[in-house]
Amino acid sequence: MFESGKQKILIVDDSEMNRYILAQMLQSDYDILEAVDGESAVETLRSHADEISVILLDIIMPGMDGFGVLEIMNREGWIEDIPVIIISSDRSPVAIERAYELRAVDFINRPFDASIVRHRVVNTILFYAKQKKLVSLVERQGFEKER
């Protein structure tokens, strides 16, 4: 789908304007995939889960909402490898708590500051890359020890 070698971000939001704003902020450094609702997000994950570095996910969407996406990601095991940052106008403590319970890594309130979104995306991707590197190192050391 993409040949650039850039990391991929999946933006999931029913608002075309919100997807556009986020894509414009991030497209110089990342390849952008977009989904208009929870169902299309899950479809995209089924075909591209191994390519996605981070998901920016809205909660309030028609049909399957952001919580539904997180529930499926937990069930399918995608949440282990793909960090999810919630970007939502729902600031209720109940929504924030539920997002974290479903293993979202961050929660950004809308309206958002572009600089904050950019920094949190970069930091999340770097953290997960370091974590994967450490897991790989430990697995390799365990394999060497067994031999």
Side-chain angles (χ1 to χ4, degrees), residues 20 25 30 68 102 114 120:
Y20 177 80
M25 282 181 353
Y30 303 96
L102 290 169
R120 289 187 180 177

Side-chain angles (χ1 to χ4, degrees), residues 85-98:
I85 299 172
I86 301 294
I87 299 182
S88 182
S89 57
D90 185 348
R91 301 166 185 227
S92 71
V94 171
I96 294 169
E97 183 66 25
R98 181 148 185 235

Side-chain angles (χ1 to χ4, degrees), residues 4 17 39 48 70 72-73 76-77 79 83 88 90 94 105 122-124 136 141 144:
S4 69
M17 178 60 74
E39 289 87 356
H48 298 285
L70 286 169
I72 290 173
M73 288 185 70
E76 296 291 328
I79 201 77
S88 182
D90 185 348
V94 171
V105 298
V122 168
N123 289 344
T124 299
S136 175
Q141 286 176 342
E144 290 294 324

Side-chain angles (χ1 to χ4, degrees), residues 18 21-22 25 87-88 91 108-117:
N18 290 338
I21 291 168
L22 289 167
M25 282 181 353
I87 299 182
S88 182
R91 301 166 185 227
I108 300 172
N109 291 320
R110 187 177 289 132
F112 52 78
D113 179 280
S115 174
I116 290 173
V117 172

